[in-house]
Amino acid sequence: MELYIVRHGEVSHNVLKQYNTKDEDLTKIGVKQAEKLRDKIKDINFDVIISSPLIRAKHTAKILNINDKKMFTDNRIKERDCGDLSGKSLAATNRVEYWNYNTKIRYGTSEDIKLFFNRVFNFLEELKTKDYKIVLIVAHSGVSKAFSAYFDGLGDGKFLNRGLKNCEIKKYYLWKNIN
């Protein structure tokens, strides 16, 4: 199965460089980013589009759905919950440690990175059971980091720089398990 993952377009907390759990929509720039990507991928014949249920991802998916394909959401590809860091500057944490799979540091009530990655891995394992040929996933930077861990391995466990930028797309191949 060809699997394309896209990070949603720009939102205000990206511009402000803040953690945020607020379910916010795209900025005008975010809409333009999605439209530009839509023009770039318009000839890819996706079987289905699966989006995070957050507004920014759903709006991006809607813009990208030029061929009116079936779309649905899945809670397992929501962004990592930053908990009580919401509204705080990204500088409030050591970002390398926040995105370190092997860290022992807990940042308030933020979702544990291992639990977050496992949630995304569970989504990917279930996707292997489907008969899709080409799938578009619209999600978040953190989800793209988890995809990187799943497909490319944990490596040194540091994922800060392994995520997608707004409306960046990456292709993976997901193979079914053969019993």
Side-chain angles (χ1 to χ4, degrees):
M1 167 185 322
E2 288 180 28
L3 189 62
Y4 293 82
I5 181 168
V6 169
R7 181 183 176 191
H8 61 79
E10 179 191 83
V11 291
S12 62
H13 79 264
N14 298 144
V15 176
L16 297 171
K17 298 189 183 318
Q18 292 178 331
Y19 288 100
N20 205 344
T21 55
K22 181 181 168 190
D23 197 7
E24 60 187 328
D25 203 353
L26 303 175
T27 63
K28 289 179 183 177
I29 290 172
V31 170
K32 289 191 182 314
Q33 290 170 330
E35 290 169 345
K36 184 176 179 183
L37 179 60
R38 177 190 62 208
D39 294 341
K40 180 179 171 184
I41 66 171
K42 67 182 179 212
D43 294 328
I44 301 173
N45 190 21
F46 300 107
D47 297 318
V48 66
I49 299 173
I50 307 170
S51 172
S52 157
L54 298 179
I55 292 168
R56 57 193 180 261
K58 290 191 304 186
H59 190 175
T60 302
K62 185 177 179 183
I63 292 168
L64 297 177
N65 193 8
I66 194 168
N67 295 316
D68 200 30
K69 295 296 182 171
K70 180 180 178 189
M71 286 182 23
F72 60 92
T73 62
D74 193 304
N75 286 330
R76 294 172 293 181
I77 55 173
K78 283 172 65 172
E79 181 60 287
R80 180 180 179 190
D81 186 345
C82 64
D84 56 8
L85 291 173
S86 187
K88 294 184 179 172
S89 168
L90 296 178
T93 64
N94 175 332
R95 299 277 297 148
V96 172
E97 278 305 305
Y98 185 81
W99 286 107
N100 182 351
Y101 189 82
N102 301 311
T103 192
K104 304 289 186 227
I105 299 171
R106 278 296 299 217
Y107 287 102
T109 60
S110 64
E111 185 176 6
D112 179 81
I113 190 171
K114 290 180 180 175
L115 296 176
F116 169 62
F117 277 24
N118 285 337
R119 170 165 54 89
V120 176
F121 292 176
N122 177 270
F123 165 80
L124 289 165
E125 285 298 313
E126 184 181 310
L127 198 55
K128 285 181 178 180
T129 68
K130 307 298 182 188
D131 288 325
Y132 304 128
K133 290 188 180 4
I134 306 174
V135 179
L136 177 63
I137 308 294
V138 183
H140 309 274
S141 178
V143 174
S144 72
K145 290 171 172 77
F147 271 54
S148 175
Y150 185 88
F151 289 100
D152 304 325
L154 292 174
D156 64 3
K158 295 179 180 174
F159 286 87
L160 177 61
N161 297 316
R162 288 174 65 178
L164 297 175
K165 295 175 177 44
N166 292 114
C167 279
E168 188 176 6
I169 188 168
K170 186 160 185 181
K171 181 179 180 179
Y172 293 101
Y173 291 95
L174 184 66
W175 307 107
K176 288 187 177 211
N177 293 332
I178 300 173
N179 296 331

